[in-house]
Amino acid sequence: MTTKRLHILRFGLFSMLFLWLMLGMPTLNAVQGAERPAYKPFLFTNLKDTAADRRVEAISRPCRKMTEADAMRTIDDLGKIAADLNDLALQCAVFDLRADYYSVNRGYNQLSTQYYKKAVELAEDRKDQMLAGIYQHRIANYFALYKKNIEAAQYYLLSERNLKETGYNKVPGIGNLFSETSNFYYALGDYDGAREYLKNALIYQTAPSRTRINILNTIGLTYRNSNNYPLALNFFHEALKLAGQLHDTIWIALAKGNIGSVYVLQKSYKEALPLVREDYVQSVKYNEGANCAIAMLRLAQISLSFNDVKLASAQLDTANQVLSTTKENVLKERIQYYELLAQVKEKSNKPTLAEHYLLLSEQLKDSLMERDNVAAIDRVRLKWTKEKSLEDYNNLQIKTRINSYKQYTVITVLLLLMVIGVLIFNRQRLKTRKDKEILAAELRRLDEERKSAENALSDYTENLKQKNDIIEGFKTELERLQYAINDRTLTENLDRMMHAHIMTDDKWDEFRKLFTKVHGNFLFNIRQRYPGISATDMRLMALIKLKLNNREMAGMLCITVDGVKKAKQRLRKKLNLADNEEIEDIVNTL
């Protein structure tokens, strides 16, 4: 066979294969279409004979894989049955099934959002607080699934409010609702919020079960992630004990692995090794990819702590293979992988490779930080949402109550409020006007008293100045007589008369009363600001406040002008004044 004929034959075979595929695809699609479940007219008929409190529970979700037309036709049949039975829970479930169908087949979409909201609105219109809370929880789960965190948080909080007022004990499956809410907060890294809901879930999951084990284990994880290792170990051990009672090998391995993870974080590697090794074996057995990689990374970390570089390198190769095939988000694990690999290369005297892997881990850390920053922003926004949720809920309640009143009742209430408001306004206006008049009269009285006190102080001060001038004249004459007379007794009397002055203690008390009326808290402020000031210093500062000159102050205090200057110098030191500061400026500020 020539080369040319061989090419022709190959071309013919490929052409036949292509034609077969083109002709066969419609048949294949038809076969696949035939496998989809179709409309069944009597699918929900048996619900008519089911107890009312078990009807919704008895509904499966057979419509998810149907065509849209068949699915909606099937759900329409359920809607007719719900209407005939006048079953509110079943009517809400109809909206829930429609929303679920579009969510499964279209992802996040407006139809699902609208149908979930209709279920809530129907329950609210019929005043069924429990159903409203349940379907608010359902729409919250829907928003959380598609990372609409703010909307999810709002509906979780509204749901919790309604279910709390209903009474948690009356809500079927309340423990599961708490668990689902905790999953939402845990995913956002709000471990305190998640723990609160988990502990509530624990109250309603008292029977030994895998669900209770899961709750205990997750509470342990919230403490571990918050670096509270003692409490984390307590809950992990409790989960392990319960798993042992139920002979649940999967949860036994998971609980031991989590205990081992705490030992690794505490660097208690000998205690951690057998637990982490068992966790890895069980993860492989049950095909838990991400957990398998995490366990192997912990084993590699333990091997490096024992300086077994060869074993750590092999373990990291295994971890890398698992991380490369898992579909879960393993960004944190990949960072740890590169950090441990860098340590292996460093211990193997390959610093260039070690630096390369450290660089890779840092680059991934930037990505992780960006992701965590987004989560942190969400947590801040959720905190605000929590604080605002009560106000929003109250507004919804008020709106619902107002809509239930008849129109004339609302108008009557509004008219009464308007009348009361006008009366209160007028009364407040009159009271304000009266208060203003009283205040103005009081201000006038105080102003008159102040002016009177100022005049009295001015007159008093002027009188003191005049008396001081007279005394100064007497002193001059006495001084002349003292030199002219030789009698010792008479000389001593003259000397005492020369030291007489106006500002005696009695006069000072009288002066201080007038001074305080004019200058308010001046003397008190001196004591408060400068507790080391003497009574003499206070007198000097009061005279400075009145703007008396040194000669006038000397006469009133019975000291020389130089004495006044020295007293001012001592006062400057006590006030700790700088060279560019003046006593007069400080006095004026008091």
Side-chain angles (χ1 to χ4, degrees), residues 236-470:
F236 288 146
H237 280 295
E238 195 172 344
L240 177 61
K241 181 180 177 181
L242 184 56
Q245 293 174 1
L246 298 176
H247 306 290
D248 192 322
T249 55
I250 296 177
W251 270 112
I252 289 174
L254 288 173
K256 286 184 176 180
N258 285 330
I259 294 170
S261 73
V262 175
Y263 288 147
V264 170
L265 290 169
Q266 293 177 323
K267 298 184 179 180
S268 301
Y269 296 119
K270 288 184 179 180
E271 293 85 349
L273 181 57
L275 297 170
V276 177
R277 186 181 289 144
E278 183 177 350
D279 184 26
Y280 172 74
V281 171
Q282 294 297 327
S283 297
V284 171
K285 180 179 178 180
Y286 294 106
N287 197 26
E288 296 286 340
N291 200 62
C292 179
I294 293 170
M296 185 53 70
L297 288 171
R298 288 171 183 155
L299 288 172
Q301 183 178 348
I302 294 171
S303 297
L304 281 172
S305 72
F306 295 149
N307 289 319
D308 193 339
V309 179
K310 184 176 180 180
L311 178 57
S313 180
Q315 290 167 334
L316 287 174
D317 288 339
T318 302
N320 184 41
Q321 293 174 10
V322 178
L323 290 173
S324 300
T325 57
T326 185
K327 296 181 180 179
E328 299 177 55
N329 190 326
V330 289
L331 185 57
K332 288 184 179 179
E333 289 71 27
R334 182 59 72 178
I335 292 170
Q336 187 182 7
Y337 164 75
Y338 283 129
E339 289 177 342
L340 292 172
L341 192 57
Q343 292 181 39
V344 168
K345 299 305 178 185
E346 187 70 33
K347 289 179 180 289
S348 302
N349 296 320
K350 297 178 180 179
T352 303
L353 281 175
E355 186 176 351
H356 169 70
Y357 288 120
L358 280 177
L359 180 61
L360 288 177
S361 72
E362 290 300 322
Q363 291 172 349
L364 290 181
K365 282 180 181 178
D366 290 339
S367 299
L368 180 63
M369 185 177 296
E370 183 177 349
R371 189 188 76 183
D372 288 347
N373 285 342
V374 172
I377 291 171
D378 274 347
R379 286 196 293 273
V380 172
R381 294 172 67 194
L382 288 176
K383 183 179 179 181
W384 174 84
T385 302
K386 283 184 178 181
E387 293 171 351
K388 193 173 181 297
S389 64
L390 180 59
E391 179 184 353
D392 292 340
Y393 176 77
N394 288 336
N395 289 338
L396 286 172
Q397 291 293 87
I398 291 170
K399 182 180 177 181
T400 302
R401 288 196 297 269
I402 289 177
N403 288 337
S404 67
Y405 294 151
K406 294 182 180 180
Q407 187 174 4
Y408 75 89
T409 305
V410 176
I411 294 173
T412 303
V413 171
L414 290 175
L415 288 174
L416 287 173
L417 289 175
M418 288 176 63
V419 171
I420 292 170
V422 170
L423 292 174
I424 292 174
F425 175 78
N426 287 334
R427 182 177 179 182
Q428 188 64 33
R429 185 178 60 180
L430 292 172
K431 185 177 183 299
T432 302
R433 183 186 299 173
K434 186 175 181 180
D435 289 344
K436 285 182 178 179
E437 291 174 354
I438 293 172
L439 180 61
E442 182 66 18
L443 289 174
R444 286 195 299 271
R445 185 185 66 79
L446 291 174
D447 187 61
E448 289 172 0
E449 286 184 2
R450 184 181 60 80
K451 288 180 179 179
S452 176
E454 284 180 351
N455 293 333
L457 180 62
S458 178
D459 293 340
Y460 187 88
T461 304
E462 187 62 31
N463 185 37
L464 288 178
K465 287 181 182 179
Q466 292 174 2
K467 290 181 178 180
N468 188 65
D469 290 338
I470 294 171

